[in-house]
């Protein structure tokens, strides 16, 4: 009788754990804002922001650009990026206006020579003179969080 009771208790506890895990997996898969843990491949059609037309590249092969980087953090954390992936400020990701999504790029801080490899999964920055928007974690690794 004791063994049967112990077995029933184990099955009941396992059932509760399974429900919690299932709920957690659902939230992880679709996020609070309807985004996914992994985004879609997206080149995208030309688009306009503030009257400026951007034409996404078909390939990032041979792409190189020098300019100003910025970073974005908690205001976007958990929200859907341009390719549908959840933005995670603690992941090594970035936003670019025209690179195919996703793309993998190396970004180097020319002031301290630190560099990181990030996955471009979002569009932006749409601020004049900025080339790329880094996630908080990538910006921190580059030593640029204090500078903006």
């Amino acid at each position: 009788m004791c063994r049967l009771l112990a077995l029933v208790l184990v099955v009941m506890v396992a059932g509760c754990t399974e429900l919690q895990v299932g709920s957690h997996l659902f939230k992880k898969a679709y996020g609070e804002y309807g985004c996914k843990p992994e985004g879609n491949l997206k080149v995208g059609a030309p688009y306009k922001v503030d009257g400026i037309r951007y034409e996404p590249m078909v390939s990032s092969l041979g792409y190189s650009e020098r300019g100003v980087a910025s970073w974005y953090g908690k205001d976007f954390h958990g929200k859907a990026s341009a390719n549908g992936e959840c933005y995670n400020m603690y992941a090594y990701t970035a936003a670019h206006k025209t690179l195919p999504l996703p793309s993998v790029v190396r970004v180097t801080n020319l002031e301290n020579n630190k560099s990181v490899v990030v996955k471009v999964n979002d569009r932006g920055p749409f601020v004049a003179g900025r080339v790329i928007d880094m996630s908080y974690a990538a910006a921190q690794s580059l030593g640029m969080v204090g500078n903006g």
Side-chain angles (χ1 to χ4, degrees):
M1 181 67 171
C2 259
R3 284 184 180 172
L4 179 60
L5 185 57
L7 180 61
V8 169
L9 184 58
V10 167
V11 169
M12 286 175 55
V13 170
C16 292
T17 303
E18 195 170 308
L19 289 174
Q20 290 174 351
V21 170
S23 171
H24 176 72
L25 290 174
F26 179 80
K27 287 178 186 173
K28 186 176 178 183
Y30 295 101
E32 185 179 342
Y33 299 97
C35 50
K36 302 176 284 188
E38 291 294 324
N40 302 316
L41 178 62
K42 180 179 181 180
V43 171
Y47 64 97
K48 279 186 176 183
V49 174
D50 295 330
I52 300 171
R53 185 177 189 273
Y54 299 97
E55 190 163 337
M57 295 180 233
V58 175
S59 172
S60 60
L61 280 176
Y63 173 79
S64 179
E65 189 170 0
R66 180 178 276 209
V68 177
S70 52
W71 65 273
Y72 61 131
K74 66 181 178 179
D75 291 349
F76 298 93
H77 186 72
K79 296 181 181 176
S81 66
N83 75 341
E85 185 174 342
C86 287
Y87 171 68
N88 179 351
M89 63 187 270
Y90 302 109
Y92 283 73
T93 60
H96 190 273
K97 297 174 200 93
T98 58
L99 282 168
L101 303 178
S103 292
V104 176
V105 299
R106 176 176 299 279
V107 178
T108 303
N109 182 339
L110 299 176
E111 292 178 359
N112 60 20
N113 213 31
K114 291 182 179 180
S115 104
V116 294
V117 173
V118 295
K119 175 171 61 171
V120 177
N121 65 352
D122 206 358
R123 291 289 178 223
F126 299 109
V127 176
R130 296 189 189 165
V131 173
I132 194 165
D133 228 352
M134 311 298 293
S135 66
Y136 171 77
Q140 193 172 37
S141 291
L142 289 170
M144 60 177 275
V145 170
N147 298 334

